[in-house]
Amino acid sequence: MLDLINDLWFLKRDIVSDDFDKALSRLADEVPMTIHEYPTGEPCWTWRVPEKWTCHEAYLETLDGRRLIDYTDHPLHVVSYSLPFEGVVDREQLLEHLHIHPRLPDAIPFAFKYYDRDWGLCASKSLRDSLIDDSYHVVIRTSFEPGTLKVGEVVIPGQSKKCVMLVAHLCHPAQVNDDLSGVMVGIDVARTLAQWGETNRTPLHYTYRLLILPETIGSVAYLSHNEHLIPKMSAGLFLEMLGNDSPHALQGSFQPESRFDRCQRSVFGALDPQGYLGAYRSIIDNDERQFNAPGVRVPMLSLSRVEAAKDTGRPPYPEYHSSLDTPAIVSQERLEASRDLVLGLIQAWEQDQFVVNRFKGEIFCSGYRIWIDYRVNPEGHRRLFEIMERCDGEHTVSDIAGDLGISFKSVREVVELLLEKDLVSLSRTPQPTAPPRK
Ligand SMILES: [Zn+2]
């Protein structure tokens, strides 16, 4: 994953741009991918696809020709989607258009004006503070032209047409953790899912669709052109900021009591004991908003390694949206740990079925040799009975875990034992064996 990051990270991956396309086609060499194209001006619900933007040349010079900022040194020196501009400006006017990072004095900030357009340059605070001349020479040669917004889709078919959406964004020029890291994890997850049958006893139930897109407009373009798929989207997971050195954060969907939310909550703690949970929009905002939105309402959670949740008012990680978000802050080991965590979440969702009792009454545990001696293991004894009590065709594994406040894994272990003894079966739909009396 890190080799690929090194190849792609410095590309100028603006939302509709040649370098975005270049990065996406390089990723299409890694996994079988369909690339959907949406032309400039195309209506996407209440949005429209923007133009392709190219920065041909940009610099800031003193009037005697000393170059202070040059786009060829770093793609973040120009505001993404900046209007072209050329001329001599006084210092005050320049400062109105020169963006700096709010916290990092030596970093160039990531600034963008996709829809509310203006011209702009970006620099470190240290450079800005050194500007003492009365006037400067600005050159920004950018062009806006018809192009196509691209969304890469990797489909891993399962037995069911019901699908799980995995989403990561590839935009953000010359940055890594946000969100090339999520893209890499997504690609590696897709690669593993494609070989699922070889390493798991059962084939994949759900179909998985990984989308690699430009943030927000990419999701809206895809959803608005694939409305027929929306009813089939049973769940979703947005992947981002997965390379930095922090525990995982799992943000719930707009529907915290959805089956997918409950399942993922019940398994997450065992997959990263240091990890933390947060409500919808409390940790970080991204494309999951488009999937959770009115008219769509797919329960999409978000997995990240956000260090400080949004509601703390601190940045998600120190190098966020700056030129310091480089390959140096991500590690192969952490990317692999995140990939394994995503696979753990997926495995639980695959296994989260309704547990249907083939028995009536309370099971004769010692007869089936599954009795746990309460004198030796009182907790195990109690749990066994509490779990068996809920095997009634109306509770899934994660429902039982949630009810009892225990892990998915511990419920699953008891269910495996009952399956072995042919005392229960599993079902994708509720099969109440004695519906509650009203
Ligand atoms: Zn971002």
Side-chain angles (χ1 to χ4, degrees), residues 1 13 17 35 57 66 75 159 193 196 245-246 287 312 331 349 360 367-368 383 412 414 431:
M1 289 189 261
R13 289 170 281 110
S17 64
I35 298 181
E57 184 181 28
R66 195 160 54 85
Q159 291 172 316
L193 290 177
W196 186 264
D245 189 12
S246 297
D287 292 85
T312 63
S331 80
W349 184 233
K360 286 181 181 161
Y368 279 89
R383 290 304 187 200
R412 180 74 199 176
V414 171
Q431 306 283 339

Side-chain angles (χ1 to χ4, degrees), residues 110 169 172 178 215 240-241 286 320-321:
F110 169 41
H169 64 68
H172 287 30
D178 181 11
E215 189 173 357
E240 83 154 356
M241 301 176 187
N286 266 296
Y320 173 67
H321 279 190

Side-chain angles (χ1 to χ4, degrees), residues 177-194:
N177 198 40
D178 181 11
D179 181 29
L180 207 44
S181 67
V183 170
M184 292 305 147
V185 168
I187 297 268
D188 231 33
V189 165
R191 222 183 255 136
T192 313
L193 290 177

